Amino acid sequence: MAAFLARAEEPAVEEPKEKLKILFEFAPDAVVYGEPFTLNIVVNRTNPDEISVVPPDFHDAFRIERLRTEARIVRNAARGGDRWTVFEFTLTAVEPGLHELGAFEVNAPDETMLTNPINVDAREAKSDLRAALAWFGQDGLSKAPYTAAVGAPGEVALRITNWPQDKLYPAGELPMRIEPPQNAILEYIPLTEKERAAGTVLRLRITALGGQSVKIDGQSVRYENLDIYIPPLTLAVPFPAMPGPAKKEEAGTALPEEGESPAAVATQVAATEVKPVLFSGAIGQAGKFFFIFRTGAENCLKRAESLWEREMYAEALAVLRSGERSLSAARVVKETRKRCEDALGLPVCPDETRLPVAPLSVVSALFLLAAVLLFIARKRSHVPAFCAAAAFAVSLSALSLLAFSYFDGLSRAVLKHCAAYPIPEENVQTDAFFREGEPARIRSSSDSWLYADSSVKSVLEKSGWIKKENAVTAAGL
């Protein structure tokens, strides 16, 4: 008993403290003369009374405005999170120019550490700044094109090249309006969040209709306290050379014959170079679905892959969009469709309304059968007629959704690269151009013509008559 008490009275052995660690949080490029800025020293200790932070000699270049201490949870992969102490210094640069910010001394009961000294450039504040913008190519990084072929859509991006470091890029649209030239069609393309974060403020698709050049005038706009200048853009439009008699007789020539309209020339212009798309990963993901839903997704992706490899891009996208509407495993099909549209250089296209055929068919059949059985057994089993009516209503609703999906799919199409006309005749002036793989709705038809309306929301009133062979519909799959 005495031995047990002696062991119980032995003092507990304290665990050794973790080695002192420091995180130094500071953005030296964001310091403006006369304006307060903050820097944080984060220490891996939970009790701030055990720690002291000694600032360096500022040599009259900086002034301490405030010192605040708080706790913070720092994520740790092993333990999930540790509690650290934050020492927040609020300083003001007293003089503009380049100054050295010396080392901060962090003292703990068992250890002392120093931060590294850094150079701080205190910039002078300006009440009125001027930001510069520049035109770039489709990727937003390469130089803007110098030429534009007749009927061949090309994209340009307007990106900020000189922006105050203490200001965020514009979150919304800048107050600017680009006047469309008379000899070109301008289409505004919505910006993604990634493009906005990179400083892109405008993206245009330009389709030259003719003339010697396409000109976009420069302009100045005002955003908050900034004067922003938008430079002009000029694209030379070389006139397509008409072939001589010898050229006409050459087999396989792609040059237009005499008397062909500019729209006919436009349809022969090659589309943007197509990026490679790998379908193997998507087919592997489809194989992870439940076996009932797996087969349809795999068949859809393999068929689209076969068409894509044969450069039948519109047909491949039509197959993917059909699967996106009707398959239960539509998610992997939709992701593949988006990658294919990106490879063709298309803007953000709308998704398909998902109405899976297999589950709706099963629900319709089961509830119809339940309604029939309940109706037959209502007198013998005293089943309320309401139950049979409710089962029949559910079956009818599922059947209605199936019918809606079928007839709605008949009006949808994926278009090839082609010209559209205001009337169903080829010998008239071209009204619009559709890109390879662009989704559209078929509004009406006439003999060998279809009236197509673009489904891309960024395209304003882009519609016209096209030849039936330039549209891939559900009936043609």
Side-chain angles (χ1 to χ4, degrees), residues 133-178:
L133 284 80
W135 292 100
F136 291 86
Q138 181 178 353
D139 58 359
L141 299 174
S142 59
K143 293 183 179 180
Y146 298 104
T147 61
V150 175
E155 294 184 11
V156 294
L158 186 64
R159 189 164 59 83
I160 298 171
T161 58
N162 181 23
W163 191 258
Q165 295 182 358
D166 57 344
K167 279 184 172 291
L168 298 176
Y169 286 137
E173 300 292 338
L174 291 177
M176 58 182 174
R177 174 177 174 78
I178 305 297

Side-chain angles (χ1 to χ4, degrees), residues 238-289:
F239 190 79
M242 300 302 293
K247 291 289 183 180
K248 288 190 211 176
E249 297 175 358
E250 292 179 5
T253 180
L255 295 174
E257 298 183 359
E258 293 182 5
E260 285 188 313
S261 64
V265 178
T267 58
Q268 299 175 7
V269 179
T272 307
E273 183 179 357
V274 180
K275 302 175 183 177
V277 177
L278 295 178
F279 287 78
S280 57
I283 295 174
Q285 291 181 7
K288 299 178 182 179
F289 283 88

Side-chain angles (χ1 to χ4, degrees), residues 104-341:
F104 286 76
E105 181 180 310
V106 180
N107 296 309
D110 52 347
E111 197 172 353
T112 297
M113 292 188 67
L114 295 175
T115 65
N116 295 325
I118 57 175
N119 292 324
V120 179
D121 186 9
R123 298 180 289 105
E124 294 188 10
K126 296 182 180 179
S127 58
D128 193 9
L129 302 174
R130 188 175 182 86
L133 284 80
W135 292 100
F136 291 86
Q138 181 178 353
D139 58 359
L141 299 174
S142 59
K143 293 183 179 180
Y146 298 104
T147 61
V150 175
E155 294 184 11
V156 294
L158 186 64
R159 189 164 59 83
I160 298 171
T161 58
N162 181 23
W163 191 258
Q165 295 182 358
D166 57 344
K167 279 184 172 291
L168 298 176
Y169 286 137
E173 300 292 338
L174 291 177
M176 58 182 174
R177 174 177 174 78
I178 305 297
E179 293 294 336
Q182 295 183 354
N183 60 336
I185 298 175
L186 292 188
E187 303 170 13
Y188 288 85
I189 303 176
L191 298 176
T192 63
E193 294 298 326
K194 184 178 180 180
E195 289 174 333
R196 293 184 185 277
T200 302
V201 297
L202 180 67
R203 183 177 286 276
L204 294 175
R205 181 181 298 115
I206 303 174
T207 304
L209 301 179
Q212 296 181 348
S213 61
V214 175
K215 296 181 180 180
I216 296 178
D217 297 330
Q219 59 177 297
S220 295
V221 298
R222 186 77 175 176
Y223 177 78
E224 295 181 352
N225 66 329
L226 298 175
D227 283 326
I228 303 177
Y229 176 67
I230 302 174
L233 176 66
T234 301
L235 302 176
V237 181
F239 190 79
M242 300 302 293
K247 291 289 183 180
K248 288 190 211 176
E249 297 175 358
E250 292 179 5
T253 180
L255 295 174
E257 298 183 359
E258 293 182 5
E260 285 188 313
S261 64
V265 178
T267 58
Q268 299 175 7
V269 179
T272 307
E273 183 179 357
V274 180
K275 302 175 183 177
V277 177
L278 295 178
F279 287 78
S280 57
I283 295 174
Q285 291 181 7
K288 299 178 182 179
F289 283 88
F290 191 61
F291 73 95
I292 297 178
F293 309 131
R294 179 191 311 159
T295 303
E298 288 180 341
N299 292 339
C300 175
L301 292 169
K302 289 178 180 178
R303 185 181 178 190
E305 181 182 21
S306 176
L307 293 168
W308 190 271
E309 290 176 350
R310 288 183 284 163
E311 298 184 357
M312 301 173 67
Y313 304 123
E315 289 83 353
L317 283 171
V319 170
L320 292 174
R321 284 191 170 273
S322 177
E324 184 179 345
R325 287 193 301 268
S326 59
L327 294 176
S328 300
R331 176 180 57 82
V332 65
V333 177
K334 181 174 72 171
E335 293 174 354
T336 306
R337 188 261 303 168
K338 289 184 175 181
R339 287 198 297 269
C340 291
E341 290 175 345

Side-chain angles (χ1 to χ4, degrees), residues 417-435:
H417 181 68
C418 63
Y421 302 86
I423 59 176
E425 293 183 8
E426 289 186 275
N427 58 351
V428 295
Q429 180 64 39
T430 303
D431 185 60
F433 297 89
F434 290 108
R435 303 187 66 183

